[in-house]
Amino acid sequence: MRIYVAESYENMSRKAANILSAQVILNPNSVLGLATGSTPIGMYKQLVSWYNKGDLDFSQVKSVNLDEYVGLSPDHDQSYRYFMQKNLFDHVNIDPANTNVPDGLAADPDEACRRYNQIIRDLGGIDIQVLGMGHNGHIGFNEPDDAFELETHVVDLQESTIEANARFFASKDEVPRRAITMGIKNIMQARQILVLVSGEGKADIVKAAFTGPVTPRVPASILQLHPNVALVGDKAALSKL
Ligand code: F6R
């Protein structure tokens, strides 16, 4: 694992954007695995800024997002599809047909999961997967559990995740209780992983995930077994490593 320590959130965002841009420049056909949440927002902003300067071309890029809430439509302002449109897709020349986010409105969510696995396979797998990390160690919406879930699946969100995400909704009651998420195998099969962490609040879980035992109780700990991980964080988040 390569660890990149950044002075600040802005610096972390720029380092992460540099890694993602290098991938796109070296391979314009890249399959990017993307994440939502507050941590990568600065990275997306930086990518849009470099795109506007003419330094990046997304015309051949394909993307697959990690997860989506069950029950939220693409135009709901808290859906992850909406997040991606507002933070990246609407501002760069990526072909909308090449962007994939799990279908939160699917009449049969299990079938939507199977379709999503097939999309990832048809794309030839993921070149670089961006990840944030939940305070409980979740990646995507793979919550702490007795076993690692392998492929895309429907998950019941844990109370701690619902509480953490309530800040984005009018009230906690409006946070969806279920989500569709890529599984650990989908994530681990990515050829490169880019983990972003920011803030003192993540320091304990970063330490547990990267220096503790590999266990499904801390889903991010599986990343210790991946051969090509870049961990980019600000000083506060990396302070306990
Ligand atoms: C987002 C995702 C989640 C977040 C995690 C951290 O697509 O899958 O695992 O990466 O909850 O969220 P933030 O960045 O808001 O702390």
Side-chain angles (χ1 to χ4, degrees):
M1 179 173 65
R2 303 177 314 282
I3 302 177
Y4 298 86
V5 186
E7 286 298 320
S8 62
Y9 176 77
E10 288 69 32
N11 189 235
M12 175 205 78
S13 302
R14 214 163 49 246
K15 280 184 167 41
N18 263 307
I19 294 171
L20 215 61
S21 315
Q23 173 69 41
V24 171
I25 291 167
L26 291 172
N27 177 7
N29 287 307
S30 289
V31 178
L32 306 181
L34 299 176
T36 64
S38 45
T39 315
I41 289 177
M43 176 188 74
Y44 292 134
K45 222 176 243 168
Q46 183 65 72
L47 291 174
V48 170
S49 150
W50 286 336
Y51 168 77
N52 286 331
K53 286 185 180 148
D55 291 343
L56 281 175
D57 175 16
F58 290 86
S59 60
Q60 303 304 314
V61 165
K62 283 128 197 127
S63 72
V64 275
N65 261 77
L66 279 170
D67 43 16
E68 178 60 285
Y69 288 117
V70 168
L72 295 195
S73 67
D75 56 2
H76 187 290
D77 66 1
Q78 291 308 325
S79 77
Y80 287 174
R81 163 56 77 176
Y82 186 89
F83 175 103
M84 289 312 303
Q85 293 300 137
K86 294 299 150 200
N87 285 287
L88 183 67
F89 300 157
D90 285 351
H91 308 288
V92 299
N93 65 336
I94 195 164
D95 180 345
N98 285 338
T99 67
N100 298 281
V101 179
D103 181 1
L105 289 185
D108 180 349
D110 290 324
E111 174 55 25
C113 293
R114 282 191 286 277
R115 271 204 315 274
Y116 209 66
N117 290 327
Q118 194 55 48
I119 288 171
I120 298 171
R121 272 194 288 274
D122 291 347
L123 287 170
I126 298 164
D127 289 306
I128 183 166
Q129 177 64 54
V130 178
L131 295 176
M133 207 191 289
H135 289 100
N136 60 3
H138 74 214
I139 49 177
F141 272 133
N142 292 276
E143 301 280 29
D145 208 339
D146 293 335
F148 292 112
E149 283 267 7
L150 298 182
E151 293 202 296
T152 309
H153 59 285
V154 179
V155 66
D156 291 322
L157 300 183
Q158 291 195 347
E159 203 49 35
S160 61
T161 300
I162 293 168
E163 268 158 29
N165 290 359
R167 67 190 196 276
F168 301 117
F169 290 82
S171 76
K172 195 178 133 189
D173 292 342
E174 287 184 27
V175 184
R177 269 32 192 176
R178 294 196 304 159
I180 293 178
T181 181
M182 276 187 205
I184 294 296
K185 178 168 141 192
N186 302 116
I187 294 170
M188 288 295 280
Q189 284 181 331
R191 287 177 272 281
Q192 194 185 165
I193 307 259
L194 172 59
V195 190
L196 271 64
V197 286
S198 168
E200 206 185 332
K202 294 279 170 77
D204 284 326
I205 195 63
V206 168
K207 181 176 177 209
F210 292 105
T211 67
V214 174
T215 162
R217 290 274 143 216
V218 182
S221 64
I222 193 80
L223 299 173
Q224 292 180 39
L225 304 182
H226 193 285
N228 192 0
V229 175
L231 171 62
V232 185
D234 57 20
K235 277 184 159 173
L238 301 180
S239 60
K240 297 194 175 164
L241 274 193

mmCIF file of all heavy atoms in Angstrom, residues 34-40 65-68 80 130-136 138-142 161 164-165 167-168 181 196 198 202, ligand 1:
data_model
loop_
_atom_site.group_PDB
_atom_site.id
_atom_site.type_symbol
_atom_site.label_atom_id
_atom_site.label_comp_id
_atom_site.label_asym_id
_atom_site.label_seq_id
_atom_site.Cartn_x
_atom_site.Cartn_y
_atom_site.Cartn_z
ATOM 1 N N LEU A 34 -16.407 4.738 -9.132
ATOM 2 C CA LEU A 34 -16.543 6.020 -8.431
ATOM 3 C C LEU A 34 -17.339 5.895 -7.141
ATOM 4 O O LEU A 34 -18.149 4.981 -6.975
ATOM 5 C CB LEU A 34 -17.187 7.041 -9.370
ATOM 6 C CG LEU A 34 -16.365 7.318 -10.654
ATOM 7 C CD1 LEU A 34 -17.117 8.273 -11.578
ATOM 8 C CD2 LEU A 34 -14.976 7.852 -10.323
ATOM 9 N N ALA A 35 -17.082 6.837 -6.241
ATOM 10 C CA ALA A 35 -17.750 6.870 -4.938
ATOM 11 C C ALA A 35 -18.422 8.218 -4.742
ATOM 12 O O ALA A 35 -18.029 9.212 -5.360
ATOM 13 C CB ALA A 35 -16.713 6.647 -3.830
ATOM 14 N N THR A 36 -19.410 8.239 -3.871
ATOM 15 C CA THR A 36 -20.041 9.504 -3.492
ATOM 16 C C THR A 36 -19.598 9.831 -2.061
ATOM 17 O O THR A 36 -18.542 9.397 -1.621
ATOM 18 C CB THR A 36 -21.577 9.401 -3.596
ATOM 19 O OG1 THR A 36 -22.016 8.424 -2.648
ATOM 20 C CG2 THR A 36 -22.011 8.975 -4.989
ATOM 21 N N GLY A 37 -20.415 10.587 -1.323
ATOM 22 C CA GLY A 37 -20.058 10.966 0.048
ATOM 23 C C GLY A 37 -19.340 12.305 0.045
ATOM 24 O O GLY A 37 -19.020 12.860 -1.010
ATOM 25 N N SER A 38 -19.070 12.814 1.242
ATOM 26 C CA SER A 38 -18.470 14.151 1.306
ATOM 27 C C SER A 38 -16.983 14.139 0.968
ATOM 28 O O SER A 38 -16.461 15.120 0.428
ATOM 29 C CB SER A 38 -18.712 14.781 2.680
ATOM 30 O OG SER A 38 -18.458 13.840 3.678
ATOM 31 N N THR A 39 -16.284 13.043 1.231
ATOM 32 C CA THR A 39 -14.826 13.049 1.067
ATOM 33 C C THR A 39 -14.371 13.321 -0.371
ATOM 34 O O THR A 39 -13.458 14.132 -0.570
ATOM 35 C CB THR A 39 -14.226 11.733 1.604
ATOM 36 O OG1 THR A 39 -14.830 11.436 2.867
ATOM 37 C CG2 THR A 39 -12.726 11.863 1.801
ATOM 38 N N PRO A 40 -14.948 12.678 -1.403
ATOM 39 C CA PRO A 40 -14.391 12.906 -2.745
ATOM 40 C C PRO A 40 -14.863 14.172 -3.461
ATOM 41 O O PRO A 40 -14.446 14.415 -4.599
ATOM 42 C CB PRO A 40 -14.841 11.647 -3.527
ATOM 43 C CG PRO A 40 -16.043 11.149 -2.824
ATOM 44 C CD PRO A 40 -15.983 11.629 -1.406
ATOM 45 N N ASN A 65 -20.458 3.281 -10.513
ATOM 46 C CA ASN A 65 -20.476 3.743 -9.138
ATOM 47 C C ASN A 65 -20.663 2.588 -8.165
ATOM 48 O O ASN A 65 -21.220 1.543 -8.514
ATOM 49 C CB ASN A 65 -21.573 4.783 -8.936
ATOM 50 C CG ASN A 65 -21.009 6.181 -8.968
ATOM 51 O OD1 ASN A 65 -20.710 6.691 -10.044
ATOM 52 N ND2 ASN A 65 -20.820 6.780 -7.803
ATOM 53 N N LEU A 66 -20.215 2.827 -6.954
ATOM 54 C CA LEU A 66 -20.263 1.787 -5.929
ATOM 55 C C LEU A 66 -21.665 1.407 -5.509
ATOM 56 O O LEU A 66 -21.962 0.241 -5.260
ATOM 57 C CB LEU A 66 -19.593 2.313 -4.656
ATOM 58 C CG LEU A 66 -18.087 2.277 -4.545
ATOM 59 C CD1 LEU A 66 -17.674 3.066 -3.305
ATOM 60 C CD2 LEU A 66 -17.614 0.835 -4.429
ATOM 61 N N ASP A 67 -22.538 2.423 -5.368
ATOM 62 C CA ASP A 67 -23.780 2.131 -4.653
ATOM 63 C C ASP A 67 -24.878 3.154 -4.945
ATOM 64 O O ASP A 67 -24.631 4.204 -5.540
ATOM 65 C CB ASP A 67 -23.513 2.030 -3.138
ATOM 66 C CG ASP A 67 -22.575 3.124 -2.619
ATOM 67 O OD1 ASP A 67 -22.367 4.123 -3.326
ATOM 68 O OD2 ASP A 67 -22.065 2.971 -1.499
ATOM 69 N N GLU A 68 -26.076 2.801 -4.510
ATOM 70 C CA GLU A 68 -27.239 3.695 -4.649
ATOM 71 C C GLU A 68 -28.274 3.305 -3.589
ATOM 72 O O GLU A 68 -28.402 2.128 -3.236
ATOM 73 C CB GLU A 68 -27.840 3.558 -6.050
ATOM 74 C CG GLU A 68 -29.085 4.398 -6.333
ATOM 75 C CD GLU A 68 -28.867 5.906 -6.197
ATOM 76 O OE1 GLU A 68 -28.777 6.377 -5.035
ATOM 77 O OE2 GLU A 68 -28.813 6.594 -7.231
ATOM 78 N N TYR A 80 -27.534 8.910 -5.317
ATOM 79 C CA TYR A 80 -26.118 8.945 -5.700
ATOM 80 C C TYR A 80 -25.964 9.240 -7.194
ATOM 81 O O TYR A 80 -24.953 9.785 -7.625
ATOM 82 C CB TYR A 80 -25.442 7.641 -5.291
ATOM 83 C CG TYR A 80 -25.231 7.567 -3.781
ATOM 84 C CD1 TYR A 80 -24.737 6.415 -3.185
ATOM 85 C CD2 TYR A 80 -25.502 8.660 -2.957
ATOM 86 C CE1 TYR A 80 -24.525 6.351 -1.808
ATOM 87 C CE2 TYR A 80 -25.301 8.608 -1.582
ATOM 88 C CZ TYR A 80 -24.805 7.449 -1.007
ATOM 89 O OH TYR A 80 -24.589 7.398 0.342
ATOM 90 N N VAL A 130 -12.363 4.226 -6.674
ATOM 91 C CA VAL A 130 -12.290 5.239 -5.618
ATOM 92 C C VAL A 130 -13.152 4.770 -4.445
ATOM 93 O O VAL A 130 -14.288 4.330 -4.640
ATOM 94 C CB VAL A 130 -12.821 6.602 -6.120
ATOM 95 C CG1 VAL A 130 -12.780 7.639 -5.003
ATOM 96 C CG2 VAL A 130 -12.041 7.076 -7.337
ATOM 97 N N LEU A 131 -12.618 4.896 -3.243
ATOM 98 C CA LEU A 131 -13.379 4.516 -2.049
ATOM 99 C C LEU A 131 -13.262 5.594 -0.973
ATOM 100 O O LEU A 131 -12.173 6.156 -0.782
ATOM 101 C CB LEU A 131 -12.818 3.229 -1.425
ATOM 102 C CG LEU A 131 -12.894 1.934 -2.209
ATOM 103 C CD1 LEU A 131 -12.180 0.829 -1.411
ATOM 104 C CD2 LEU A 131 -14.340 1.532 -2.466
ATOM 105 N N GLY A 132 -14.361 5.846 -0.273
ATOM 106 C CA GLY A 132 -14.293 6.533 1.006
ATOM 107 C C GLY A 132 -14.443 5.447 2.059
ATOM 108 O O GLY A 132 -14.549 4.262 1.726
ATOM 109 N N MET A 133 -14.451 5.837 3.307
ATOM 110 C CA MET A 133 -14.606 4.825 4.360
ATOM 111 C C MET A 133 -15.582 5.318 5.415
ATOM 112 O O MET A 133 -15.472 6.469 5.862
ATOM 113 C CB MET A 133 -13.229 4.600 4.993
ATOM 114 C CG MET A 133 -13.060 3.230 5.593
ATOM 115 S SD MET A 133 -11.583 3.164 6.581
ATOM 116 C CE MET A 133 -10.357 3.211 5.332
ATOM 117 N N GLY A 134 -16.543 4.476 5.776
ATOM 118 C CA GLY A 134 -17.478 4.865 6.837
ATOM 119 C C GLY A 134 -16.792 4.788 8.198
ATOM 120 O O GLY A 134 -15.764 4.133 8.348
ATOM 121 N N HIS A 135 -17.392 5.445 9.196
ATOM 122 C CA HIS A 135 -16.808 5.398 10.545
ATOM 123 C C HIS A 135 -16.814 3.983 11.112
ATOM 124 O O HIS A 135 -16.069 3.675 12.028
ATOM 125 C CB HIS A 135 -17.584 6.333 11.488
ATOM 126 C CG HIS A 135 -17.343 7.771 11.171
ATOM 127 N ND1 HIS A 135 -18.228 8.526 10.437
ATOM 128 C CD2 HIS A 135 -16.297 8.582 11.444
ATOM 129 C CE1 HIS A 135 -17.739 9.749 10.285
ATOM 130 N NE2 HIS A 135 -16.575 9.808 10.884
ATOM 131 N N ASN A 136 -17.677 3.124 10.570
ATOM 132 C CA ASN A 136 -17.706 1.728 11.026
ATOM 133 C C ASN A 136 -16.864 0.827 10.117
ATOM 134 O O ASN A 136 -16.922 -0.385 10.221
ATOM 135 C CB ASN A 136 -19.159 1.220 11.087
ATOM 136 C CG ASN A 136 -19.845 1.270 9.722
ATOM 137 O OD1 ASN A 136 -19.225 1.631 8.721
ATOM 138 N ND2 ASN A 136 -21.119 0.908 9.688
ATOM 139 N N HIS A 138 -17.144 0.652 6.812
ATOM 140 C CA HIS A 138 -17.775 0.185 5.571
ATOM 141 C C HIS A 138 -17.093 0.770 4.341
ATOM 142 O O HIS A 138 -16.551 1.876 4.380
ATOM 143 C CB HIS A 138 -19.298 0.416 5.568
ATOM 144 C CG HIS A 138 -19.752 1.828 5.378
ATOM 145 N ND1 HIS A 138 -20.887 2.326 5.978
ATOM 146 C CD2 HIS A 138 -19.272 2.854 4.647
ATOM 147 C CE1 HIS A 138 -21.066 3.584 5.616
ATOM 148 N NE2 HIS A 138 -20.093 3.924 4.809
ATOM 149 N N ILE A 139 -17.109 -0.002 3.262
ATOM 150 C CA ILE A 139 -16.689 0.486 1.946
ATOM 151 C C ILE A 139 -17.836 0.181 0.995
ATOM 152 O O ILE A 139 -18.413 -0.899 1.047
ATOM 153 C CB ILE A 139 -15.332 -0.117 1.473
ATOM 154 C CG1 ILE A 139 -15.294 -1.637 1.629
ATOM 155 C CG2 ILE A 139 -14.176 0.539 2.175
ATOM 156 C CD1 ILE A 139 -14.011 -2.288 1.122
ATOM 157 N N GLY A 140 -18.140 1.141 0.099
ATOM 158 C CA GLY A 140 -19.433 1.058 -0.547
ATOM 159 C C GLY A 140 -20.423 1.036 0.611
ATOM 160 O O GLY A 140 -20.235 1.713 1.624
ATOM 161 N N PHE A 141 -21.457 0.221 0.501
ATOM 162 C CA PHE A 141 -22.338 0.034 1.662
ATOM 163 C C PHE A 141 -22.171 -1.382 2.209
ATOM 164 O O PHE A 141 -23.114 -1.989 2.695
ATOM 165 C CB PHE A 141 -23.793 0.324 1.305
ATOM 166 C CG PHE A 141 -24.170 1.776 1.466
ATOM 167 C CD1 PHE A 141 -24.862 2.440 0.469
ATOM 168 C CD2 PHE A 141 -23.860 2.484 2.622
ATOM 169 C CE1 PHE A 141 -25.232 3.771 0.599
ATOM 170 C CE2 PHE A 141 -24.212 3.818 2.771
ATOM 171 C CZ PHE A 141 -24.899 4.462 1.750
ATOM 172 N N ASN A 142 -20.960 -1.903 2.138
ATOM 173 C CA ASN A 142 -20.655 -3.193 2.772
ATOM 174 C C ASN A 142 -20.445 -2.929 4.249
ATOM 175 O O ASN A 142 -19.383 -2.464 4.668
ATOM 176 C CB ASN A 142 -19.402 -3.812 2.142
ATOM 177 C CG ASN A 142 -19.646 -4.230 0.708
ATOM 178 O OD1 ASN A 142 -20.161 -5.311 0.453
ATOM 179 N ND2 ASN A 142 -19.317 -3.351 -0.227
ATOM 180 N N THR A 161 -24.910 4.076 10.118
ATOM 181 C CA THR A 161 -24.798 4.655 8.773
ATOM 182 C C THR A 161 -25.980 5.576 8.508
ATOM 183 O O THR A 161 -25.830 6.673 7.951
ATOM 184 C CB THR A 161 -24.743 3.513 7.729
ATOM 185 O OG1 THR A 161 -23.602 2.712 8.015
ATOM 186 C CG2 THR A 161 -24.671 4.044 6.319
ATOM 187 N N ALA A 164 -25.262 8.690 10.342
ATOM 188 C CA ALA A 164 -24.196 9.481 9.701
ATOM 189 C C ALA A 164 -24.728 10.193 8.459
ATOM 190 O O ALA A 164 -24.310 11.308 8.149
ATOM 191 C CB ALA A 164 -23.009 8.591 9.342
ATOM 192 N N ASN A 165 -25.665 9.552 7.753
ATOM 193 C CA ASN A 165 -26.147 10.136 6.497
ATOM 194 C C ASN A 165 -27.367 11.028 6.686
ATOM 195 O O ASN A 165 -27.791 11.708 5.743
ATOM 196 C CB ASN A 165 -26.457 9.031 5.481
ATOM 197 C CG ASN A 165 -25.168 8.365 5.004
ATOM 198 O OD1 ASN A 165 -24.079 8.759 5.421
ATOM 199 N ND2 ASN A 165 -25.277 7.381 4.145
ATOM 200 N N ARG A 167 -27.579 13.738 8.046
ATOM 201 C CA ARG A 167 -27.261 15.160 7.848
ATOM 202 C C ARG A 167 -27.608 15.652 6.445
ATOM 203 O O ARG A 167 -27.771 16.839 6.228
ATOM 204 C CB ARG A 167 -25.785 15.427 8.174
ATOM 205 C CG ARG A 167 -24.771 14.783 7.225
ATOM 206 C CD ARG A 167 -23.347 14.921 7.801
ATOM 207 N NE ARG A 167 -22.275 14.679 6.849
ATOM 208 C CZ ARG A 167 -21.800 13.474 6.543
ATOM 209 N NH1 ARG A 167 -22.328 12.385 7.100
ATOM 210 N NH2 ARG A 167 -20.804 13.340 5.687
ATOM 211 N N PHE A 168 -27.732 14.732 5.507
ATOM 212 C CA PHE A 168 -28.038 15.136 4.136
ATOM 213 C C PHE A 168 -29.545 15.186 3.868
ATOM 214 O O PHE A 168 -29.981 15.608 2.803
ATOM 215 C CB PHE A 168 -27.397 14.160 3.140
ATOM 216 C CG PHE A 168 -25.896 14.085 3.285
ATOM 217 C CD1 PHE A 168 -25.279 12.904 3.652
ATOM 218 C CD2 PHE A 168 -25.111 15.206 3.049
ATOM 219 C CE1 PHE A 168 -23.893 12.837 3.777
ATOM 220 C CE2 PHE A 168 -23.721 15.145 3.173
ATOM 221 C CZ PHE A 168 -23.122 13.953 3.538
ATOM 222 N N THR A 181 -25.325 -2.171 -3.277
ATOM 223 C CA THR A 181 -23.892 -1.875 -3.267
ATOM 224 C C THR A 181 -23.094 -2.956 -3.983
ATOM 225 O O THR A 181 -23.461 -4.137 -3.950
ATOM 226 C CB THR A 181 -23.369 -1.729 -1.810
ATOM 227 O OG1 THR A 181 -21.973 -1.417 -1.857
ATOM 228 C CG2 THR A 181 -23.550 -3.000 -0.988
ATOM 229 N N LEU A 196 -9.791 7.433 -0.060
ATOM 230 C CA LEU A 196 -9.688 8.819 0.415
ATOM 231 C C LEU A 196 -10.234 8.908 1.835
ATOM 232 O O LEU A 196 -11.361 8.446 2.091
ATOM 233 C CB LEU A 196 -10.558 9.733 -0.457
ATOM 234 C CG LEU A 196 -9.928 10.346 -1.699
ATOM 235 C CD1 LEU A 196 -9.550 9.294 -2.693
ATOM 236 C CD2 LEU A 196 -10.902 11.330 -2.313
ATOM 237 N N SER A 198 -10.511 11.711 5.262
ATOM 238 C CA SER A 198 -10.280 13.083 5.709
ATOM 239 C C SER A 198 -10.875 13.294 7.101
ATOM 240 O O SER A 198 -11.959 12.804 7.406
ATOM 241 C CB SER A 198 -10.939 14.040 4.706
ATOM 242 O OG SER A 198 -10.979 15.334 5.218
ATOM 243 N N LYS A 202 -12.014 10.108 11.316
ATOM 244 C CA LYS A 202 -11.742 8.841 10.615
ATOM 245 C C LYS A 202 -10.465 8.165 11.139
ATOM 246 O O LYS A 202 -10.151 7.034 10.729
ATOM 247 C CB LYS A 202 -11.607 9.085 9.101
ATOM 248 C CG LYS A 202 -12.890 9.543 8.402
ATOM 249 C CD LYS A 202 -13.821 8.394 8.094
ATOM 250 C CE LYS A 202 -15.193 8.848 7.624
ATOM 251 N NZ LYS A 202 -15.252 9.301 6.245
HETATM 252 C C1 F6R B 1 -20.197 6.329 -1.066
HETATM 253 C C2 F6R B 1 -19.932 5.158 -0.242
HETATM 254 C C3 F6R B 1 -19.633 5.234 1.210
HETATM 255 C C4 F6R B 1 -18.812 6.463 1.620
HETATM 256 C C5 F6R B 1 -18.549 6.454 3.116
HETATM 257 C C6 F6R B 1 -17.785 7.673 3.564
HETATM 258 O O1 F6R B 1 -20.472 5.967 -2.404
HETATM 259 O O2 F6R B 1 -19.997 4.104 -0.757
HETATM 260 O O3 F6R B 1 -18.929 4.073 1.576
HETATM 261 O O4 F6R B 1 -17.602 6.462 0.906
HETATM 262 O O5 F6R B 1 -19.761 6.381 3.800
HETATM 263 O O6 F6R B 1 -18.582 8.794 3.399
HETATM 264 P P1 F6R B 1 -18.038 10.265 3.640
HETATM 265 O O7 F6R B 1 -17.049 10.530 2.545
HETATM 266 O O8 F6R B 1 -19.245 11.145 3.519
HETATM 267 O O9 F6R B 1 -17.397 10.285 4.985
#
